[in-house]
């Protein structure tokens, strides 16, 4: 994988965030997602690579662009062969409501190294670097809280767990409270929730719960770059979903998926641009004929983590797609 791809994908997530941010708070989540998807696809066409979408907007008959299996890039002969996972808007309802932590996200890995995660729920547990090797998805919530507290040199009462605010998580929430730990309930966006565990200033220590499997892979790539850990287990609900797992090469649907299962190899790139404000990234701000963005881009092989403040001219670019 070429180093230059790190900066190329920044342009991709910036374009998606700028396009989607126009829809913040307007109650139109589909429009926000469509705008981001079109912008992201347009910029991908300018990148010298041989890319293939393994996690995208759906199957070919479900999505007009960024569908699973779509080829991206403008150098199929000599460009690096990579697999690509995208979420043009991680948190469509967040954008529609003008809430916190919506992101435009892209992850890239060498061809064949990223799990082709089916669109279903995945049980997840995620932590930052200090607690790597200390968590166990099969252990109790309480035991995992104690393990993270010990690893980070704090009391359980000072640990903060992030959980999607869903009825299916009530038992997890009850156990966290019984253990004496604190909770940050989020409406959407468990990619941001997982990534935040690797940064002290976000105040988050561990993520629990069931969320989308594609988002689990995206989060795992981000944590791979940060030296963190995510464990997952697919949660198919019926025979059709089990068959879908088998079709995508996942024979044992009950297997605990480790970091190597989710994103193998020694290299990966993760980029995310804030659409709305969050603990980690500021959202897009429009200021006259300019806009500002904040992006994080990381590469696993080098361990490099960059925060990039972008300033963009809006003159004569009504679709907010930037290919400079």
């Amino acid at each position: 994988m070429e180093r230059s791809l790190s900066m190329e994908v920044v342009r991709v997530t910036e374009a998606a965030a700028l396009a989607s941010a126009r829809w913040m708070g307007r109650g139109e989540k589909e429009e926000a997602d469509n705008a981001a998807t079109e912008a992201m696809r347009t910029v991908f066409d300018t990148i010298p690579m041989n890319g293939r979408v393994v996690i995208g907007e759906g199957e070919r008959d479900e999505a007009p662009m960024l569908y699973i299996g779509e080829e991206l890039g403008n150098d199929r002969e000599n460009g690096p062969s990579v697999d690509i996972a995208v979420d043009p808007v991680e948190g469509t309802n967040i954008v529609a409501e003008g809430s916190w932590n919506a992101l435009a996200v892209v992850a890239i890995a060498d061809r064949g190294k990223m799990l082709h995660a089916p669109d279903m729920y995945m049980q997840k547990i995620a932590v930052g670097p200090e607690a790597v090797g200390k968590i166990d998805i099969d252990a109790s919530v309480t035991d995992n809280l104690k393990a993270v507290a010990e690893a980070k040199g704090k009391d359980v009462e000072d640990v903060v767990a992030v959980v999607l605010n869903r009825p299916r998580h009530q038992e997890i929430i009850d156990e966290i409270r019984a253990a004496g730990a604190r909770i940050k309930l989020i409406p959407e966006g468990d990619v941001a929730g997982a990534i935040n565990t690797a940064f002290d200033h976000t105040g988050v220590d561990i993520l629990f719960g069931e969320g989308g499997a594609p988002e689990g892979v995206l989060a795992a790539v981000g944590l791979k770059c940060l030296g963190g850990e995510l464990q997952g287990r697919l949660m198919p609900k019926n025979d059709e979903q089990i068959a879908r797992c088998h079709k995508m090469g996942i024979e044992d649907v009950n297997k605990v998926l480790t970091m190597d299962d989710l994103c193998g190899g020694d290299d990966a790139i993760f980029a995310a641009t804030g659409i709305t404000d969050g603990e980690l990234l500021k959202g897009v701000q429009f200021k006259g004929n300019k806009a500002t963005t904040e992006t994080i881009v990381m590469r696993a092989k080098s361990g490099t983590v960059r925060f990039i403040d972008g300033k963009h001219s809006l003159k004569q670019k009504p679709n907010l797609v930037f290919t400079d």
Side-chain angles (χ1 to χ4, degrees), residues 122-143:
M122 176 189 283
Q123 180 188 1
K124 307 171 193 176
I125 182 171
V127 292
E130 293 168 296
V132 168
K134 306 297 183 182
I135 57 171
D136 182 352
I137 198 169
D138 288 325
S140 69
V141 168
T142 302
D143 286 346

Side-chain angles (χ1 to χ4, degrees), residues 217-292:
V217 176
L218 282 162
V221 176
L223 287 171
K224 182 184 184 76
C225 296
L226 291 163
E229 181 180 7
L230 186 146
Q231 296 175 17
R233 179 185 285 113
L234 294 171
M235 307 291 289
K237 303 299 183 185
N238 50 46
D239 290 342
E240 181 181 352
Q241 290 193 350
I242 292 173
R244 181 165 171 75
C245 291
H246 293 164
K247 181 181 178 182
M248 300 181 80
I250 303 167
E251 293 300 325
D252 183 1
V253 297
N254 296 311
K255 178 183 178 180
V256 173
L257 300 169
T258 65
M259 293 292 284
D260 285 340
D261 295 315
L262 296 163
C263 182
D266 64 353
D267 205 4
I269 295 170
F270 176 95
T273 300
I275 300 172
T276 63
D277 287 342
E279 293 90 349
L280 186 62
L281 297 170
K282 293 179 182 178
V284 176
Q285 295 184 11
F286 296 101
K287 303 175 180 180
N289 62 5
K290 297 184 181 299
T292 61

Side-chain angles (χ1 to χ4, degrees), residues 19 23 29-39 57 64-65 88-89:
W23 294 93
K29 68 176 186 178
E30 296 297 334
E31 284 75 3
D33 190 57
N34 290 340
T37 300
E38 183 175 354
E57 292 293 275
M65 60 185 73
V89 181

Side-chain angles (χ1 to χ4, degrees), residues 3 8 46 55 57 67 70 90 101 127 133 156 176 184 193 207 249-250 256 278 309:
R3 181 184 296 116
E8 295 284 7
T46 71
I55 291 175
E57 292 293 275
Y67 53 82
E70 184 175 13
E90 211 261 322
N101 280 321
V127 292
V156 171
I176 294 170
K184 178 172 287 187
L207 173 137
I250 303 167
V256 173
D309 292 324

Side-chain angles (χ1 to χ4, degrees), residues 23-27 29 32 89-103 164 186-190 192 275-277:
W23 294 93
M24 188 185 83
R26 295 171 62 182
K29 68 176 186 178
V89 181
E90 211 261 322
T92 54
N93 285 318
I94 293 174
V95 176
E97 296 168 3
S99 188
W100 280 65
N101 280 321
L103 302 173
L164 280 170
I186 57 174
E188 278 192 40
D190 65 348
I275 300 172
T276 63
D277 287 342

Side-chain angles (χ1 to χ4, degrees), residues 141-210:
V141 168
T142 302
D143 286 346
N144 279 304
L145 289 169
K146 290 178 178 177
V148 170
E150 181 179 359
K152 302 190 78 169
K154 58 171 70 177
D155 295 330
V156 171
E157 289 78 8
D158 297 325
V159 172
V160 175
V162 62
V163 182
L164 280 170
N165 192 6
R166 300 287 189 274
R168 64 179 180 270
H169 291 151
Q170 193 58 52
E171 289 186 9
I172 293 174
I173 293 167
D174 290 344
E175 187 170 351
I176 294 170
R177 288 172 174 165
R182 299 180 294 157
I183 306 177
K184 178 172 287 187
L185 295 174
I186 57 174
E188 278 192 40
D190 65 348
V191 172
I195 297 300
N196 284 351
T197 64
F199 294 92
D200 285 340
H201 70 272
T202 65
V204 173
D205 299 296
I206 186 169
L207 173 137
F208 290 106
E210 293 181 21

